């Protein structure tokens, strides 16, 4: 889903009396959402203020995703539309700087420049800290500027550290980036580059700023977040479990999550953290992709289905209420009906609380793209339907198990109907309830009355205690006093 980024950049920019309109459209994973927010941060000192519409904007950035064919195609159709807006602005004597960022820019930068020469800037995920320089060069020069090198320095060392702190109640924090795993279907190692972990002190400082800016929940991000091995304050390499324990010491940080993890990096310390760190939410996104060992080997996943089952067993032993999520690919080249049946068997064994499933999409430059024995489109469709039916049934059953229970919900936005608030349970379910707006940004007990495919609804338990009072207020205020 495209997300337009609006953020705090405006306030500072307006203060300088030099307001320029910045529109960012984001596709892809949460890392891209995080990156878009940081691009807005980097551009704020230049006077750019995020707006909700591209029409009339001084700068438009498309932050793109290359993961599947459909995701990439969207860029070119969007560029066609933006060209008209850019021309219109140009004919009134102004200029719109048009930029393509993200994973399509990294993978297909030259093609973008060739097919859409009216694009001013094309840059990959590792160089957006140089945006001020790129914008200055674009303003001076005609033609497209292409910047898809992987710089030696880390962008994180060059991003402004006084911004990004106002992400709101639920914030993202990138701790790890890139991938060295090279699954044969996947573009990420090529678009994001090699695995890199930020130093612990940098992560802790950013988390403290987020919490000071109002975050109650932080989701740690990485393409393989549990491959995190950042340098600790003791000079040693810290794993994700240790990092989570350190972050849990931050006063006011009520919830910690992380995504996306790889089964091969589920280390003991991280598994133990699920039992021992109360702030670590009982939800884990642990993609497996397929249930057949033959397919897993062809995918270069370097684990078997039983290895995965064993990890799940260990996690559930230690944290019985853990909600599991996963990713699946159907129709990988050479996948037979028997292989696919193994995927269904694994799904039945694990019983996911929710999951994402995709048809295999051959990606240029990846080893699997040249494989013979493609699975016919209609077979992919049938398998996807069968898998999604099973996953949906499990999700629904999981949600139904909550009827009658009271769960802590972090209300982070208004609901669709007047008087409703929406939030998340610890298990990542969306929960909506009638609630006064003043409960936004609080963790509130909600008694669940109904369960749907993708959400729960219920009513705020009055008389119970608000679990996270607003900063500065007395802890343990009963809900009715707030309502
Ligand atoms: N780092 C994560 C996943 C990153 S990509 C991991 O290792 O699991 C997100 C998901 O997109 C993947 O888990 C996979 O299910 C899906 N995906 C990636 N490449 C794909 C392709 N070529 N075709 C279809 N789905 C793909
Ligand atoms: Fe892609 Fe595999 Fe790396 Fe995940 S682990 S990002 S699926 S190559
Ligand atoms: Fe897409 Fe790049 Fe994320 S390809 S899924 S935006 S890492």
């Amino acid at each position: 889903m495209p997300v337009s980024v609006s953020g705090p950049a405006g306030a500072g920019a307006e203060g300088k009396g030099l307001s320029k309109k910045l529109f960012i459209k984001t596709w892809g994973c949460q890392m891209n959402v995080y990156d878009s927010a940081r691009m807005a941060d980097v551009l704020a000192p230049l006077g750019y203020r995020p707006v909700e519409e591209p029409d009339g904007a001084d700068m438009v950035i498309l932050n793109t995703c290359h993961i599947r064919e459909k995701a990439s195609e969207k860029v070119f159709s969007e560029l066609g539309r933006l060209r008209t807006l850019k021309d219109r602005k140009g004919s009134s004597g102004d200029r719109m700087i048009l930029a393509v960022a993200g994973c399509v820019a990294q993978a297909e930068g030259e093609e973008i420049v060739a097919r859409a020469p009216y694009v001013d800037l094309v840059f990959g995920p590792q160089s957006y800290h140089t945006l001020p320089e790129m914008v200055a060069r674009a303003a001076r020069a005609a033609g497209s500027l292409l910047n898809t090198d992987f710089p030696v320095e880390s962008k994180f060392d060059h991003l402004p550290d006084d911004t990004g702190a106002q992400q709101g109640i639920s914030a993202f924090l990138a701790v790890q980036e890139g991938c060295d795993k090279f699954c044969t279907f996947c573009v990420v190692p090529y678009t994001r580059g090699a695995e890199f972990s930020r130093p612990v002190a940098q992560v802790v400082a950013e988390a403290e700023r987020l919490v000071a800016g109002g975050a109650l929940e932080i989701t740690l991000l990485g393409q393989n977040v549990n491959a995190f091995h950042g340098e600790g304050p003791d000079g040693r390499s810290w794993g994700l479990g240790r990092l989570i324990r350190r972050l849990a010491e931050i006063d006011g940080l009520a919830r910690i999550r992380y995504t996306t993890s790889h089964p091969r990096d589920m280390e003991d310390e991280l598994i133990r953290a699920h039992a021992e760190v109360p702030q670590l939410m009982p939800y884990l996104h642990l993609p497996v992709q397929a249930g057949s060992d033959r397919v897993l080997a062809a995918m270069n996943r370097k684990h078997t289905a039983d290895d995965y089952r064993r990890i799940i067993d260990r996690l559930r032993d230690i944290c019985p209420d853990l909600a599991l999520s996963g990713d699946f690919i159907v129709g990988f080249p050479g996948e037979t009906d028997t292989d696919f049946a193994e995927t269904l068997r694994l799904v039945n064994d694990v019983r996911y609380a929710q999951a994402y499933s995709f048809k295999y999409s051959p990606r240029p430059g990846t080893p699997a793209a040249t494989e013979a024995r493609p699975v016919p489109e209609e077979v992919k469709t049938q398998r996807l339907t069968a898998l999604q039916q099973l996953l949906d049934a499990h999700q629904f059953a999981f949600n139904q198990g909550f009827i009658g229970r009271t769960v802590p919900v972090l209300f982070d936005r208004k609901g669709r109907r007047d008087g409703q608030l929406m939030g998340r349970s610890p298990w990542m379910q969306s929960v909506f309830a009638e609630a006064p707006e003043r409960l936004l940004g609080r963790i509130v007990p909600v008694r669940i009355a109904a369960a749907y495919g993708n959400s729960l609804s219920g009513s705020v338990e009055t008389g119970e205690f608000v679990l996270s009072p607003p900063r500065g207020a007395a802890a343990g205020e009963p809900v009715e006093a707030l309502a």
Side-chain angles (χ1 to χ4, degrees):
M1 279 290 282
V3 199
S4 68
V5 166
S6 49
E14 270 163 18
K16 290 181 187 126
L18 184 96
S19 183
K20 294 183 206 155
K21 293 178 187 156
L22 168 67
F23 177 77
I24 307 182
K25 186 162 183 168
T26 309
W27 290 273
C29 58
Q30 285 144 327
M31 185 74 90
N32 256 16
V33 176
Y34 175 85
D35 287 345
S36 290
R38 303 317 307 263
M39 286 183 218
D41 289 344
V42 172
L43 289 167
L46 275 68
Y48 284 95
R49 176 177 59 87
V51 292
E52 301 292 327
E53 290 296 328
D55 201 359
D58 299 286
M59 180 156 182
V60 171
I61 302 176
L62 301 183
N63 195 10
T64 61
C65 174
H66 196 56
I67 202 82
R68 286 170 290 276
E69 193 181 356
K70 276 198 183 130
S72 299
E73 274 169 4
K74 290 184 182 137
V75 181
F76 287 100
S77 59
E78 190 70 28
L79 279 175
R81 276 196 291 278
L82 287 169
R83 181 184 198 170
T84 320
L85 300 183
K86 182 177 164 86
D87 288 348
R88 196 188 302 162
K89 191 155 172 94
S91 57
S92 66
D94 277 341
R95 175 156 185 214
M96 173 194 282
I97 297 178
L98 185 51
V100 182
C103 291
V104 180
Q106 186 63 47
E108 293 179 8
E110 281 168 18
E111 196 187 338
I112 294 169
V113 171
R115 275 175 69 180
Y118 50 89
V119 172
D120 300 288
L121 295 176
V122 179
F123 55 93
Q126 302 310 342
S127 45
Y128 61 78
H129 57 293
T130 67
L131 258 170
E133 206 181 304
M134 289 192 275
V135 168
R137 281 175 61 193
R140 283 197 303 269
S144 312
L145 183 75
L146 179 66
N147 186 359
T148 49
D149 291 341
F150 285 109
V152 229
E153 84 268 13
S154 151
K155 69 180 173 221
F156 295 108
D157 294 340
H158 297 269
L159 290 170
D161 61 7
D162 56 336
T163 51
Q166 308 285 331
Q167 283 191 49
I169 301 154
S170 182
F172 290 140
L173 201 176
V175 301
Q176 182 279 345
E177 205 175 339
C179 180
D180 296 341
K181 302 253 180 337
F182 290 93
C183 300
T184 54
F185 52 83
C186 182
V187 294
V188 172
Y190 313 98
T191 63
R192 290 275 167 175
E195 275 180 13
F196 168 81
S197 300
R198 295 175 73 183
V200 172
Q202 209 180 63
V203 172
V204 172
E206 189 165 324
E208 283 171 346
R209 285 197 299 276
L210 291 168
V211 172
L216 277 179
E217 172 175 270
I218 293 182
T219 302
L220 307 176
L221 300 180
Q223 265 85 40
N224 277 299
V225 70
N226 55 343
F228 176 85
H229 54 273
E231 190 191 347
D234 52 3
R236 299 201 178 171
S237 163
W238 283 29
L240 187 67
R242 193 155 177 208
L243 177 72
I244 287 170
R245 282 171 209 272
R246 171 64 189 85
L247 294 173
E249 290 170 11
I250 299 176
D251 214 20
L253 179 56
R255 291 182 165 190
I256 302 172
R257 303 181 183 277
Y258 59 94
T259 198
T260 298
S261 343
H262 193 288
R264 288 184 60 213
D265 295 314
M266 255 355 265
E267 287 170 1
D268 285 347
E269 178 156 29
L270 181 58
I271 293 181
R272 276 201 314 275
H274 275 280
E276 294 166 8
V277 180
Q279 293 91 333
L280 183 57
M281 290 293 101
Y283 171 88
L284 174 64
H285 183 66
L286 192 65
V288 64
Q289 314 298 353
S292 142
D293 288 343
R294 222 177 49 79
V295 172
L296 287 170
M299 287 176 163
N300 193 32
R301 291 290 291 182
K302 297 208 177 87
H303 60 77
T304 63
D306 278 347
D307 292 337
Y308 184 83
R309 285 184 179 91
R310 274 191 289 272
I311 295 167
I312 303 296
D313 287 347
R314 278 168 59 210
L315 280 157
R316 283 190 166 147
D317 270 352
I318 207 163
C319 182
D321 72 337
L322 189 73
L324 279 156
S325 165
D327 290 350
F328 295 90
I329 295 178
V330 299
F332 186 80
E335 184 189 66
T336 62
D337 284 343
T338 316
D339 291 322
F340 178 62
E342 287 293 295
T343 298
L344 297 179
R345 190 164 74 86
L346 181 64
V347 168
N348 270 319
D349 289 346
V350 175
R351 295 188 74 91
Y352 292 88
Q354 64 116 162
Y356 304 90
S357 44
F358 313 98
K359 288 183 196 173
Y360 168 70
S361 167
R363 305 307 292 133
T366 60
T370 51
E371 284 261 343
R373 300 182 300 147
V375 172
E377 191 57 29
E378 62 275 16
V379 177
K380 284 187 193 170
T381 306
Q382 281 161 12
R383 288 182 188 164
L384 188 67
T385 309
L387 176 59
Q388 288 184 340
Q389 267 170 7
L390 187 62
L391 291 168
D392 287 351
H394 290 170
Q395 180 170 0
F396 187 59
F398 178 79
N399 286 345
Q400 289 241 302
F402 283 80
I403 294 176
R405 280 177 67 180
T406 297
V407 303
V409 176
L410 170 52
F411 283 127
D412 61 354
R413 68 214 120 112
K414 289 191 198 165
R416 251 170 275 155
R417 293 213 207 111
D418 269 357
Q420 260 184 3
L421 294 182
M422 295 276 294
R424 296 259 183 207
S425 75
W427 305 272
M428 267 311 254
Q429 295 135 309
S430 286
V431 184
F432 56 95
E434 301 279 318
E437 241 176 74
R438 53 190 308 195
L439 291 184
L440 257 184
R442 318 262 185 101
I443 298 175
V444 175
V446 174
R447 190 175 164 81
I448 303 304
Y452 312 95
N454 289 313
S455 60
L456 303 173
S457 72
S459 50
V460 173
E461 282 276 45
T462 50
E464 296 273 326
F465 291 101
V466 167
L467 304 164
S468 69
R471 241 161 287 273
E477 213 176 344
V479 176
E480 56 217 336
L482 296 159

